Amino acid sequence: MTIDELMTQGPVIPVLTFDQPREAVRVAEALVEGGLTVLEVTLRTPTALDCLAAVAKVPGAIAGAGTVLNPAQLEASVRAGARFLVSPGLTKSLANAARGAGLPFLPGVATATDIMRALDQGFTRFKFFPAVAAGGLPALKALCAPFTMARFCPTGGISSATAPEWLSFRSVACVGGSWLYAGEGDPTDAIIARARTAAALRPA
Ligand code: 3PG
C-alpha cells in the first residue's frame, strides 16, 4: 500500500491508546464495523506492542503504530504487524529506518522548517501535529502556499465537530484523532456509531 492509498482509505484515522489487547480487539472490531479501517495504535503504554499485534489480526483492520520516536520502536512495530507508521516529528535516523522498512510513514511536522527537512528526506505526506495548538487550519493553509506538493493528516485537538472543516481543505487527505474511543468501558455501540459518523465524512 502506498502512503496515498493509506491516507485515502477513509477520512479519519482513529488514534488509539490501549492497555489491554482484549480491549484493543473489541475497539478495533467496533471501528471496522463502523467503517473505519485504518487504525493507529500509539506506543504510549507498556503493552502497546501487544495491543498493536492484536489489532493487526482483526479482520478488515489496517493496523499501524503511532508515537514512533526512534528506529528501535519502528522495528518493533513492524515485527508486531504494523502496516504503517506515524511519528509526531522526524529525525534522520527515523527517516532512514522508515525508508528501510518500506511501509507508509507519516512524519509529524508543524513548521516550514520541519516540512523542508522532511522534504529533504524524501517525504511529502505528513501528520500536521499538534494541529490545533500549532495554529489550526489557518496555519496549515498558510504553510501549504509554499508547499503545494505536500498533503496532510492533521492530528491533535481535532473533534467530530471540527473534522469536516479540516477535510474541506484540499491539502488535507484525512484527519487523525482520539475522539472515536473514550477509553476502557466505552460502550461498543457508541464506538460503532462514532465510527459511522466519521466514516461518512468526505474530504474535498
Ligand atoms: C496524537 O496522539 O496523534 C494526538 O495527540 C491525538 O490528538 P487528540 O487526542 O487531540 O485527537
Side-chain angles (χ1 to χ4, degrees), residues 116-181:
M116 289 167 69
R117 288 196 174 130
L119 290 171
D120 274 353
Q121 296 289 332
F123 300 104
T124 58
R125 302 294 182 259
F126 306 112
K127 167 174 175 162
F128 177 51
F129 176 81
V132 172
L137 193 49
L140 183 61
K141 285 185 174 170
L143 282 170
C144 283
F147 302 113
T148 51
M149 72 297 272
R151 296 195 85 202
F152 296 86
C153 174
T155 307
I158 298 177
S159 66
S160 156
T162 59
E165 194 187 353
W166 285 95
L167 287 164
S168 70
F169 180 44
R170 62 182 157 68
S171 298
V172 170
C174 58
V175 301
S178 63
W179 81 86
L180 286 303
Y181 171 52

